[in-house]
């Protein structure tokens, strides 16, 4: 059965869902996106995803394709029409189609596209096993706080990780870890303190990162928002990543060196449990 994809006002079978070859999302990666997870047919922490979408649009001077309340209504309709109880909802806004020109067109109408991917997200073998990551230089542009579809470098890094037998890559700039290719990076110090890089234009302001910070603080777990080096991470008690699709997933080795005892740690496993427990309220 084919999915129903939303494109600019229409709900279409995926084979019929199309955009112009002149769409600036295609020609210039002039587009932003959001990914929300779905559990029990419900979008998790979706208001925060919509706020970040609004911020990405504003930072790029891109018009809203329709009012944010309408975007939310369409999101729910796409989930419903595809009867997805568990998985992801992808939403993409491009600046629209116009004759090819680097300068922004004055009169293009933004395109809005949404589609679902049904998959198990709560139960994930990777979370049981833990991830191995390699480190690579962070060669992305310097506005990583804007969630653009410029995902070629992260794709190249994931390919490099796979070629080297690893699950993913952490990116490093000026000797410090910025974030994962598609997730925020965390370590747990030997005294139990959580460390994750502070918000800036260097990283995406992860919605899951935000929720996990809140859950940790509510439970009196100490948190430091600061950069850390690869060496500090390798010597940490635990490491993990956060994202809307991975929630909290342990990292068990970095560049071939085991973190802690090389198995998913109690803190990361505990935080994953807390996230899944609280997700229904987000
Ligand atoms: N950093 C990057 C580069 C990402 O692509 C993602 C996933 N969208 C994240 C962090 C995590 O963000 P979120 O928790 O909002 O999914």
């Amino acid at each position: 059965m084919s999915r129903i994809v939303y494109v600019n006002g229409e709900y279409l079978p995926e084979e019929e869902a199309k955009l112009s070859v002149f769409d600036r999302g295609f020609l210039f990666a002039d587009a932003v996106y959001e990914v929300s997870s779905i559990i029990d047919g419900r979008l998790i922490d979706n208001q925060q995803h919509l706020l970040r979408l609004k911020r990405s649009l504003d930072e790029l001077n891109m018009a809203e394709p329709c009012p944010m309340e309408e975007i939310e209504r369409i999101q729910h309709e796409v989930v419903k029409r595809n009867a997805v109880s568990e998985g992801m909802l992808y939403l993409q806004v491009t600046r629209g189609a116009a004759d090819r020109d680097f300068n922004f067109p004055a009169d293009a109408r933004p395109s809005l596209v949404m589609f679902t991917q049904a998959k198990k997200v709560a139960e994930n073998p990777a979370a049981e096993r833990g991830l191995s990551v390699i480190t690579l230089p962070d060669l992305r542009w310097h506005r990583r706080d804007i969630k653009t579809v410029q995902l070629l470098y992260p794709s190249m890094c994931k390919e490099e990780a796979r070629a080297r037998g690893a699950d993913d890559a952490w990116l490093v700039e000026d000797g410090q870890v910025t974030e994962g290719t598609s997730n925020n990076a965390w370590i747990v110090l030997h005294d139990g303190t959580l460390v994750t890089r502070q918000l800036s234009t260097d990283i995406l302001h992860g919605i899951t990162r935000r929720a996990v910070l809140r859950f940790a603080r509510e439970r009196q777990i100490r948190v430091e928002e600061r950069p850390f080096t690869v060496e500090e991470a390798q010597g940490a008690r635990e490491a993990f990543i956060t994202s809307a699709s991975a929630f909290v997933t342990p990292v068990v080795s970095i560049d071939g060196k085991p973190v802690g005892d090389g198995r998913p740690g109690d803190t990361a496993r505990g935080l994953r449990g807390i996230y899944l427990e609280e997700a229904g309220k987000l």
Side-chain angles (χ1 to χ4, degrees):
M1 202 181 75
S2 123
R3 279 173 295 190
I4 297 295
V5 173
Y6 174 89
V7 188
N8 292 331
E10 293 187 285
Y11 297 88
L12 299 166
E14 62 181 65
E15 300 77 17
E16 290 167 33
K18 298 201 167 68
L19 286 181
S20 164
V21 295
F22 293 102
D23 192 284
R24 291 181 57 93
F26 174 62
L27 294 176
F28 293 100
D30 190 356
V32 299
Y33 75 114
E34 278 298 327
V35 186
S36 305
S37 59
I38 307 163
I39 300 179
D40 294 331
R42 207 182 144 269
L43 292 166
I44 306 305
D45 220 355
N46 193 47
Q47 289 312 314
Q48 290 300 324
H49 285 284
L50 288 173
L51 284 173
R52 186 173 63 189
L53 173 67
K54 174 83 179 93
R55 180 178 181 279
S56 293
L57 292 170
D58 288 348
E59 291 297 313
L60 295 175
N61 230 338
M62 203 183 284
E64 291 171 25
C66 58
M68 296 308 280
E69 304 76 53
E70 177 67 4
I71 293 184
E72 190 184 352
R73 198 192 60 71
I74 300 164
Q75 285 183 302
H76 292 299
E77 187 63 26
V78 172
V79 173
K80 199 171 118 199
R81 288 194 189 216
N82 288 283
V84 179
S85 68
E86 202 173 326
M88 315 303 301
L89 176 73
Y90 288 79
L91 171 173
Q92 191 161 320
V93 180
T94 84
R95 202 181 300 273
D99 198 17
R100 192 179 185 285
D101 184 355
F102 281 80
N103 284 113
F104 295 166
D107 52 0
R109 274 217 351 257
S111 288
L112 175 61
V113 170
M114 290 189 211
F115 61 89
T116 52
Q117 280 182 347
K119 63 175 177 191
K120 281 210 177 308
V121 283
E123 262 177 58
N124 184 346
E128 298 300 318
R129 192 170 28 88
L131 304 173
S132 60
V133 301
I134 58 169
T135 63
L136 291 169
D138 196 340
L139 302 181
R140 299 172 300 164
W141 79 329
H142 283 269
R143 287 305 309 274
R144 302 158 194 157
D145 55 313
I146 309 174
K147 197 165 169 59
T148 75
V149 302
Q150 300 176 71
L151 296 172
L152 184 54
Y153 189 65
S155 287
M156 290 170 73
C157 293
K158 282 190 194 277
E159 280 296 305
E160 174 78 19
R162 181 160 64 182
R164 293 212 238 147
D167 296 302
D168 204 348
W170 278 11
L171 303 173
V172 179
E173 188 170 61
D174 300 330
Q176 316 268 11
V177 173
T178 51
E179 59 186 334
T181 54
S182 62
N183 43 65
N184 289 112
W186 301 64
I187 57 174
V188 184
L189 305 184
H190 289 275
D191 68 359
T193 304
L194 305 182
V195 182
T196 193
R197 196 177 174 107
Q198 74 280 9
L199 297 183
S200 72
T201 54
D202 297 338
I203 62 168
L204 186 74
H205 301 186
I207 304 305
T208 320
R209 173 190 180 281
R210 182 181 185 278
V212 169
L213 277 177
R214 177 158 72 76
F215 298 148
R217 289 188 172 122
E218 283 169 0
R219 285 160 183 78
Q220 274 74 50
I221 299 172
R222 272 196 43 172
V223 176
E224 288 175 14
E225 292 182 71
R226 62 162 173 86
F228 55 85
T229 63
V230 175
E231 294 67 36
E232 187 179 11
Q234 287 169 327
R237 194 175 84 189
E238 293 180 36
F240 63 92
I241 55 154
T242 54
S243 78
S245 51
F247 306 129
V248 176
T249 299
V251 167
V252 294
S253 84
I254 302 173
D255 287 336
K257 293 214 173 102
V259 179
D261 64 4
R263 286 183 307 209
D266 290 341
T267 306
R269 293 211 323 232
L271 287 168
R272 182 180 177 86
I274 291 166
Y275 189 91
L276 288 170
E277 238 172 72
E278 303 265 348
K281 292 175 238 153
L282 288 172

